[in-house]
Structures are given as C-alpha cells and as structure tokens.
Amino acid sequence: MALSDLLDVPNSLSARDRGSLIHPMTDLVRHEKEGPLVIDRGEGVFVYDDDGTRYIEGVSGLWSITLGFGQDRLAEAAFRQMKRLSSYHMFRFKSHLPGIELAERLLEIAPVPFSKVFFANSGSEAADTAMKLVWYYHNAIGRPEKKKIIGRIGGYHGVTIASGSLTGLARNHADFDLPIARILHTDCPHYWRFAGPEETEEDFATRLAANLEQLIIREGPETIAAFFAEPVMGSGGVIVPPKTYFEKIQAVLRRYDVLFVVDEVICGFGRLGAMFGSELFNIKPDMLTCAKGLSSGYLPISAVLISEPIWQACLVESGKVGVFGHGFTYSGHPVCAAVALETLKIYDEIDIVGRVKAVAPRLHAGLQAFATHPLVGEVRGMGLVAGLEIVRNKAKKESFDPKANIGLFVERRCQDHGVILRALGDTLTVAPPLIVDDSEINEIVRVVGIALDETLDHVRREKLI
Ligand SMILES: Cc1ncc(COP(=O)(O)O)c(C=O)c1O
C-alpha cells in the first residue's frame, strides 16, 4: 500500500496534500475522498511513487518530458548556468547569452522563416502573447476594427483569461465566465465523430473550410484578425486533421487576410515525427507558439516566434508609446534558456525525429489491434501520440454517460498495472517520452489491452452497456 493510500493517517503525505493543495485539472471532490498518487522520483520513462512502485510515464507527464527523467546533461546545464548567472531579466535593454543563443537556434530550426522570438514561461502565456501581438499588429497597420480571433471547438491553448477563452473546451469555460468577447470558435476537425455518412475526409475538410468562410463573412472579414490551431489537437482528444484540411483552411484565411497562429506546444520538437507539426501539414504560420518539449519539460519556458511584418508592427507601436509594454519577469530566464538549449542539442545529437519515426509504427500497430475491441470506437494518432476513444456503442459511436467516468476508470486500471496514461473525456491518451524503446511500447500496449478488458467487465457488471 502506498503512503498516499493511508488517507486517515495524520501527517501522511496524502493528508498533508489534501490539507494544503488545490490540484489543477482535477475533480476536487473526488480528490478530497481519494487523495493523490504521490510521485517521488523519475528515471528514463519511469516514475516511482512514494511507496517505490514503478510506472511507465506513458504521457510524458503532460506531454512534456520528451527526453525522459533524470537526464544528467540537463541537470548539469542548469547547475552551470545557476552558478554563472542564476537569474536575470530582459527588460530595458538587458540581455544574456543563453537567451540570445536560444532565440537564434529557434529561428534556425523553425518550420518557416521567422523574424524574432519572444520568451514566456508557459504555453498559456505564449498564446496570450500571440493574441496581444495580433491586436498590436492590426493597430499598427491601421486596422483597429480587425480584432476577433477564431479558435476551434476542441482546441486547447491554455487557461489564462485570453488563452482559456480561445480554448474550445466547455470544461475550461464553465463557470469561469469564459470566453471573453471577440473570441469565436469554428468546427472541430474530427472526421470519425463529425463527418456525414457519405462524406470523404476531403469532403469533410471542404465543408469545414466553407463553414469557416461563412463565419468570417457573417462576422465581417474586416473584424477577423487571426485563427489559432494546433496541428494535431491534443487536449481535445488527439484529433488528427482530415486530409487537405489545413490547405483549405489556409486558403480561406489568405482570402480574408486573417493571420494564422500555430500552437506547437504539444506537436513541436519531434512528437509527431517531424521537428514541428507545421512541416507535416504544410502550415505556413505568421506566428508560432511552443513550450513543453522546448526544455523537455524540465523548466518552465515557452516562446512565440513572429514573422517580419509582425516585428515591424512591434517597432511601429513601441515607437509610438516609447516602450514595448509587454513582458514577464522570467521572460527568457537564463537557467531555463540554458536547459532549453541543451535540450535542443540533445535532440540534434540523438536525431529525435528519426527515433520517433522508428518507434512510432510499433505503438500504432499495437494500439490498432484494439480497434475491434467492443469498447473502442476509434484508434487514432501519429508519431508518438495516440488516442483510443472509448464508446458505449461502436456502431452508433455513442459515448457513455459522463457520470459513468469511463475515461477515468480505464486510466486507473492502466495505473494499477504500472502505466500512467491520461483520459481526456473518454479518450485514453498515449504520448510517451520520445526516448521510449520497443519493449516499453510493448508494455504500454499490453497494459492498455488488460485495462480495456477489465473496463469491459466493469461496464457489463454495472449494466452500463
Ligand atoms: C496545445 C497547447 N497549447 C497550450 C497549452 C498551455 O500550456 P501551459 O499549460 O504551459 O500553460 C497546452 C497545455 O497542455 C497545450 O497542449
């Protein structure tokens, strides 16, 4: 039994946790009753709880620990930088080497030519920054009415007031009084769930692009500033876009002079089998946000890459006011930047993209075998990210009542068998560290199979199907 199971023991970690913490993205009522799984340490793709039980971290923490746990080189890079310049800022004409080098390196590896890099601390802050730059840009070029921003239903860009508004998930809006004004949402590009019976992927993409165009026309093209999208939706349930989707969407955006901001927070740095998801879908963004894999999740750092016209707009606006009035204390923190630089070096040395391409087929072949399982509606994904959508009725694509909490049930079954995965709604998500090997993939797949069978027993026993 893990220490954290001893809920009633005063001073147990579980009791102390429940006495002191609010957990992000957690059912707080359930947590009061059940307490946390306390993770004590990590090594490679494994983490260990406070009882010493080992788990494969099958979602890289929050899709972020790309190089696995306990990489000496990243720890040493942090230590070296801490000793040299432990902290500094970039306000008011100050700079430092790790920040400069990281910006240069990001511009080198970016999927399209960008002009400048702005650093922040999280994916949410990067999205907020990009949204503010969209508004700044349109003010600079004399179009102050062009300010509405379009996200997608199912899209995820963070949880701050602006990025959370752009996120298209009800659970992130409900009772937080979001979204704010000037934020719109267009269709979710989930072919299996939303296409008509006769519709091909291409037809579906055409319809979604037409819907986007109608939305723009309805709102007035002169009011629509930008469109934000993840190449593959992550938190919305691992949604790979249908064939031709982004080319059709981009044609619409160009027609109405709408900026494209690509959110590479999950897809960037190899996850999909390319350095950036934009490369795979021929996305030509005006801005790009990234985070997570930028530092292998070891330290908080995110970046916004901007095109030359947007940089020129920054110059114009800052010239007007006398300052570029945006920035965070820790924008480009030298220790975070040093760890990110070392992360990018390691990606290069171990050919992270080649590694993902080499191992990903095993993951997908393994999971595809569950496509015939009575509870699995769809198996989807690409690179080292996959989702299995659990359904009550396969033929009708009917989901379980959310109150049945099937996603959490299957997630817990996996955990009990030594693999930490994450259910997003009823989609079980797999996104292991990019250094995962064949035997670890086999183990993930084996445990998913057991968990699905145990979930089937459960739903039959509880008469949920
Ligand atoms: C695509 C995407 N964008 C933005 C974010 C927000 O990042 P953060 O949690 O660092 O604010 C996330 C987080 O999961 C994400 O998946």
Side-chain angles (χ1 to χ4, degrees), residues 62-63 121-125 127 156-159 230 234-235 263-266 289 291-292:
L62 294 174
W63 334 70
N121 307 290
S122 67
S124 300
E125 286 178 357
Y156 188 82
H157 304 286
V159 292
E230 304 149 78
S235 298
D263 181 334
E264 294 267 10
V265 167
I266 285 181
T289 62
K292 299 194 189 250

Side-chain angles (χ1 to χ4, degrees), residues 50-124:
D50 55 337
D51 197 30
T53 304
R54 189 175 88 159
Y55 305 84
I56 294 182
E57 215 333 325
V59 267
S60 311
L62 294 174
W63 334 70
S64 38
I65 325 290
T66 44
L67 292 174
F69 298 86
Q71 278 273 355
D72 287 345
R73 280 179 58 180
L74 299 186
E76 283 153 13
F79 185 69
R80 268 197 313 274
Q81 186 57 44
M82 278 238 177
K83 301 263 278 186
R84 187 176 183 92
L85 179 67
S86 39
S87 182
Y88 212 66
H89 64 87
M90 292 192 156
F91 283 34
R92 294 191 64 75
F93 316 105
K94 306 296 188 302
S95 197
H96 48 70
L97 184 63
I100 295 167
E101 283 193 343
L102 183 60
E104 285 175 348
R105 186 70 191 126
L106 281 171
L107 292 173
E108 275 166 20
I109 64 173
V112 300
F114 284 110
S115 180
K116 298 286 182 293
V117 179
F118 178 87
F119 289 119
N121 307 290
S122 67
S124 300

